[in-house]
Amino acid sequence: MKNLDTGTGYETKPSTYIAALTEVGRGTPMGELMRRYWHPVGLASHATDTPREARVLGEDLVLFRDKSGRPGLVQTRCAHRGTSLFYGKVEEQGIRCCYHGWLFDTEGRCLEQPCEPEGGKLRDRVRQPWYPVQELYGLIFAYMGPPEKKPVLPRYECLEVLAPGEFIDADDTSIGSGGGAIAPCNWLQHFENVLDTYHVPILHGNFSGTQFTEVMNQMPKVKWDNTRHGVKAFSTRTLPDGKVMERTTEVVLPTLRVVPNPFVGGYGRVESIGWTLPIDDTHYRIYTAARVREKGLFLPKGAGAATNRKRWSDMSAEERREFPGDWEAQVGQGAITFHSDEHLATSDHGILMLRRMLNSQVNAVARGEDPVGVSFDPDAEPIVFEAGNFVVDAR
Ligand code: FES
Ligand SMILES: [Fe+2]
């Protein structure tokens, strides 16, 4: 009998992904978990009297700021006959639809129907679907969940306690280490990457050239642990003087990446928070708020993507193939990666811990409980993270 080929593609089973952890539409398990938290939907500077499209958790929305200064977020399709409010005009009291001029305030109330007798006697019966928004850290946050479950908008110590000369700057241009503003793949691929500590010396230290620093190129020792509101990765690397760099990165539910600066220009507690916003099931983007001393964010613009110190946007397709970074690796996993085909190994322990935690919280919400990290106490203390880069003596 002739030796048969083994392991060929012909033997593989149909591929599947874990829908309960990846899909974010209303009514899906993860979509309902996501809708129990506030999410950034734009920079504060995006909310102006020019309407701006925002797609969030699979919903098409329009962000604006009325001429009285109130930010508003409404569903795109006008409640009258469905045209897009993106073409509307912003006024003192709200946004006016281009088609028949119905005027909606920031809470979706219909204030005028100019084509109707007496400006619309039944206009109070119409409500343009809207979401509550709040401004903080240079961002506009929206709550898209059940109104009776609306938590307070959390505050974070790393963005509240500033050293002299520091201020908060917000950014929406890139994933952490470079890439386009919108990544065409599922949000969880990015979120898991934060706990994928071992990819740093391979992807960022070898394939991309030295994308961060020489020390970050070292193969670290890593331990993962659950925290009160997420999972942390604790890694150590030896510095040239024999001391040890201890680095902690955290993921915090629902989507926060709490990652100290990988360029490690100095040591101390984490300088920024990145919110991984699921645009829909197959796109995400990152909003970042950081403590800075100079405008333009704490990361050198595009430096992470800039193998050969070129910005990601200036790299050719061939350069991106030759020097891939986070963008290429995560988008390369596919629109929604096939979990059925993975072979998770010991270095993926943090990813398993995160999936377990997300699963438990999806189930908690399905049982009618509140997920971790939501607070209804308006006087809640700012949340403190462990994340940071620190130097210690060799133990
Ligand atoms: S479709 Fe908006 S006013 Fe008619
Ligand atoms: Fe990375």
Side-chain angles (χ1 to χ4, degrees), residues 339-360:
H339 303 106
S340 62
D341 298 353
E342 292 174 332
H343 294 82
L344 297 186
T346 51
S347 52
D348 300 310
H349 190 59
I351 285 156
L352 280 177
M353 288 175 72
L354 174 59
R355 288 186 192 171
R356 239 176 261 141
M357 182 149 201
L358 290 172
N359 248 321
S360 78

Side-chain angles (χ1 to χ4, degrees), residues 212-228:
F212 301 142
T213 63
E214 287 296 334
V215 171
M216 289 293 283
N217 291 352
Q218 265 178 49
M219 189 61 73
K221 293 199 180 79
V222 188
K223 275 193 238 151
W224 293 272
D225 231 325
N226 288 305
T227 64
R228 200 160 46 87

Side-chain angles (χ1 to χ4, degrees), residues 302-360:
T307 302
N308 306 330
R309 294 299 166 228
K310 254 191 191 176
R311 286 166 187 262
W312 185 88
S313 53
D314 294 336
M315 290 167 82
S316 67
E318 176 51 23
E319 285 173 317
R320 289 179 192 161
R321 190 205 62 74
E322 195 179 349
F323 303 108
D326 277 323
W327 165 276
E328 286 72 26
Q330 292 164 37
V331 174
Q333 289 176 294
I336 306 180
T337 203
F338 290 129
H339 303 106
S340 62
D341 298 353
E342 292 174 332
H343 294 82
L344 297 186
T346 51
S347 52
D348 300 310
H349 190 59
I351 285 156
L352 280 177
M353 288 175 72
L354 174 59
R355 288 186 192 171
R356 239 176 261 141
M357 182 149 201
L358 290 172
N359 248 321
S360 78

Side-chain angles (χ1 to χ4, degrees), residues 61-357:
L61 307 168
V62 169
L63 177 66
F64 65 98
R65 188 187 301 271
D66 73 16
K67 291 192 174 171
S68 319
R70 289 173 295 223
L73 184 69
V74 292
Q75 287 190 351
T76 299
R77 295 297 204 90
C78 174
H80 177 216
R81 289 219 300 118
T83 198
S84 170
L85 290 172
F86 177 60
Y87 303 109
K89 272 215 176 18
V90 173
E91 302 185 358
E92 200 68 25
Q93 292 305 317
I95 187 165
R96 189 181 294 279
C97 180
C98 71
Y99 208 2
H100 314 94
W102 289 19
L103 176 68
F104 302 103
D105 73 7
T106 55
E107 298 192 349
R109 287 181 207 91
C110 188
L111 306 180
E112 287 177 23
Q113 297 175 333
C115 310
E116 295 299 304
E118 296 170 43
K121 281 187 276 196
L122 300 179
R123 63 173 186 262
D124 290 347
R125 294 197 191 162
V126 178
R127 197 80 184 253
Q128 180 66 23
W130 67 288
Y131 290 115
V133 290
Q134 284 190 53
E135 282 184 71
L136 185 65
Y137 305 137
L139 299 166
I140 303 273
F141 288 87
Y143 176 73
M144 297 169 61
E148 72 281 9
K149 299 284 192 187
K150 184 170 77 179
V152 294
L153 179 61
R155 305 184 81 97
Y156 301 98
E157 182 266 354
C158 65
L159 300 178
E160 296 280 334
V161 180
L162 308 184
E166 286 184 335
F167 61 96
I168 300 296
D169 196 11
D171 179 85
D172 72 334
T173 54
S174 163
I175 68 172
S177 67
I182 294 176
C185 69
N186 186 258
W187 71 280
L188 187 58
Q189 279 149 238
H190 180 78
F191 207 42
E192 291 181 343
N193 170 273
V194 177
L195 295 171
D196 188 346
T197 314
Y198 284 108
H199 85 275
V200 175
I202 307 294
L203 182 70
H204 300 296
N206 185 319
F207 274 75
S208 60
T210 294
Q211 205 168 9
F212 301 142
T213 63
E214 287 296 334
V215 171
M216 289 293 283
N217 291 352
Q218 265 178 49
M219 189 61 73
K221 293 199 180 79
V222 188
K223 275 193 238 151
W224 293 272
D225 231 325
N226 288 305
T227 64
R228 200 160 46 87
H229 39 218
V231 181
K232 67 178 176 184
F234 173 80
S235 58
T236 54
R237 293 173 174 85
T238 307
L239 293 168
D241 61 4
K243 293 196 174 190
V244 173
M245 174 175 136
E246 294 187 343
R247 177 174 164 86
T248 299
T249 62
E250 295 182 56
V251 297
V252 173
L253 262 58
T255 64
L256 278 63
R257 34 169 293 132
V258 188
V259 178
N261 192 333
F263 294 89
V264 201
Y267 293 93
R269 68 199 167 115
V270 70
E271 310 88 341
S272 72
I273 299 174
W275 286 262
T276 310
L277 179 74
I279 293 172
D280 53 30
D281 295 345
T282 54
H283 297 83
Y284 75 83
R285 67 180 309 153
I286 307 286
Y287 285 102
T288 308
R291 291 197 319 275
V292 295
R293 288 171 185 279
E294 267 174 63
K295 194 94 186 126
L297 252 200
F298 75 118
L299 289 179
K301 267 272 189 263
T307 302
N308 306 330
R309 294 299 166 228
K310 254 191 191 176
R311 286 166 187 262
W312 185 88
S313 53
D314 294 336
M315 290 167 82
S316 67
E318 176 51 23
E319 285 173 317
R320 289 179 192 161
R321 190 205 62 74
E322 195 179 349
F323 303 108
D326 277 323
W327 165 276
E328 286 72 26
Q330 292 164 37
V331 174
Q333 289 176 294
I336 306 180
T337 203
F338 290 129
H339 303 106
S340 62
D341 298 353
E342 292 174 332
H343 294 82
L344 297 186
T346 51
S347 52
D348 300 310
H349 190 59
I351 285 156
L352 280 177
M353 288 175 72
L354 174 59
R355 288 186 192 171
R356 239 176 261 141
M357 182 149 201

Side-chain angles (χ1 to χ4, degrees), residues 33 36-37 149 361 364-365 367-374 376:
L33 175 61
R36 300 294 305 277
Y37 299 90
K149 299 284 192 187
Q361 296 310 303
V365 167
R367 286 194 301 269
E369 296 165 17
D370 296 327
V372 295
V374 301
F376 302 95

